[in-house]
Amino acid sequence: MNNKARGFFGERPLPKFEVYPQLLRRRTRRDVLLFGAGAVATLAGAGSLLPQDTLSRLGIHRNMNSPGKEWLLNRAIRVDDDVAEALYSPDRAVPTYNKSQITPLKNNYNGATPDPGYISGWKLTLDGLASGLSVSLDIRNLLTRFSIREQITRLVCVEGWSAIAWWAGLRFDDLIRAYPPISQTKWARVESSVNLDASGNPDPYFMSIDLATARHPQALLAAHFNGESLTVDHGAPLRLLVPVKLGLKNVKAITKITYSLEEPKDYWAERGYSHYVGI
């Protein structure tokens, strides 16, 4: 029987794929949200590069000068924040490691390293409490009253580097339970009044963190680093360690925590970074 020869580029029948119903059912809201966030971010990123005529045909009637590009990219960041927050789960933990996997952690103060003179008079102030009071605690109060937890986790910096370190301290959630905020509180403002700019001038650092993340089992108010008390380089005597967030949320040398109903201002968000920065 003579069959017609078929070339390499000849027409071939499309392959058949069978998808089982149970596989389709595994598609979750997480998949849909991640796809949507990726699509919006891609559109925003690409949109900042497209000519205005093309953007107009797509229905984006904005002048894509520098402010216009910034507006579009900020919208993408906001959508990404919203999706990350919607996907948050207290049951999702970042990986933990053993001591043989510890790596060096550099001093990553944004500005100059503070002079250690502040440590002797250091206090942690809590505001926005249900009691209506302002509470001031020293490091001895914190380390004797609360159970100390240890974990070896990776700190991930927005600059692109990461390090594995051994941390110990009290859970942020334990502090919240002991000193509860006012009803319906959703946010905390975490500050460091001793932070300095690159020239060594006072530059108070402040950031926002949602209370759901603050209550995560791996969120620590850390007082020890690699088996020793924190040094000034790493935020003595108390720093925030939230491994489910990028490093810019991991405030060093905390001096004040204020609970609030509305999202407070954030040092890096005011400079164009994401508010949520979850990983």
Side-chain angles (χ1 to χ4, degrees):
M1 185 167 84
N2 291 330
N3 290 329
K4 228 182 212 181
R6 175 177 292 166
F8 181 78
F9 292 105
E11 185 178 352
R12 298 172 184 268
L14 291 173
K16 294 181 179 179
F17 296 96
E18 186 172 0
V19 180
Y20 294 100
Q22 58 267 36
L23 181 60
L24 289 175
R25 284 195 292 270
R26 291 177 193 163
R27 298 299 87 191
T28 65
R29 177 170 172 267
R30 176 183 289 267
D31 299 313
V32 175
L33 287 170
L34 286 174
F35 174 79
V40 171
T42 301
L43 174 61
S48 67
L49 303 175
L50 292 174
Q52 182 58 43
D53 288 347
T54 304
L55 290 169
S56 296
R57 288 196 296 273
L58 292 172
I60 302 174
H61 302 294
R62 291 188 63 90
N63 179 19
M64 281 293 109
N65 50 22
S66 292
K69 291 177 182 179
E70 183 177 346
W71 173 87
L72 194 58
L73 290 171
N74 283 342
R75 288 295 297 272
I77 289 173
R78 185 71 260 181
V79 169
D80 182 64
D81 282 351
D82 291 343
V83 171
E85 187 174 357
L87 296 178
Y88 169 81
S89 170
D91 299 323
R92 186 188 72 84
V94 300
T96 56
Y97 303 85
N98 57 53
K99 292 178 183 176
S100 67
Q101 295 172 292
I102 290 172
T103 61
L105 176 62
K106 67 179 182 178
N107 173 355
N108 63 328
Y109 264 102
N110 179 56
T113 302
D115 184 280
Y118 71 87
I119 294 178
S120 60
W122 179 89
K123 299 279 186 181
L124 174 66
T125 301
L126 302 178
D127 274 337
L129 301 178
S131 65
L133 302 175
S134 179
V135 173
S136 184
L137 304 167
D138 62 27
I139 195 66
R140 184 182 296 274
N141 296 148
L142 292 165
L143 298 184
T144 56
R145 175 169 181 180
F146 296 98
S147 298
I148 301 303
R149 315 282 181 162
E150 297 184 4
Q151 63 190 39
I152 301 176
T153 50
R154 184 186 298 274
L155 179 65
V156 181
C157 182
V158 71
E159 296 171 348
W161 58 266
S162 66
I164 297 170
W166 170 24
W167 305 96
L170 60 142
R171 282 182 175 165
F172 201 153
D173 186 43
D174 289 343
L175 184 73
I176 295 171
R177 291 174 184 275
Y179 298 97
I182 58 175
S183 178
Q184 306 302 314
T185 293
K186 294 182 179 178
W187 296 92
R189 173 182 166 112
V190 183
E191 304 176 45
S192 174
S193 63
V194 301
N195 195 70
L196 305 175
D197 65 17
S199 300
N201 299 313
D203 183 28
Y205 189 88
F206 51 93
M207 73 85 189
S208 62
I209 184 170
D210 57 291
L211 283 198
T213 302
R215 291 182 180 278
H216 190 280
Q218 292 177 313
L220 296 183
L221 295 168
H224 294 85
F225 167 73
N226 288 347
E228 304 288 343
S229 295
L230 280 174
T231 61
V232 174
D233 285 357
H234 298 302
L238 193 75
R239 69 168 291 161
L240 180 59
L241 192 282
V242 192
V244 296
K245 299 274 193 181
L246 292 176
L248 52 84
K249 293 288 186 180
N250 292 246
V251 182
K252 294 183 287 296
I254 301 169
T255 54
K256 189 174 184 180
I257 298 174
T258 305
Y259 300 111
S260 63
L261 300 177
E262 302 295 330
E263 182 175 5
K265 291 183 177 180
D266 187 284
Y267 185 96
W268 287 111
E270 291 184 352
R271 289 156 176 78
Y273 286 80
S274 165
H275 285 256
Y276 196 78
V277 295
I279 57 175

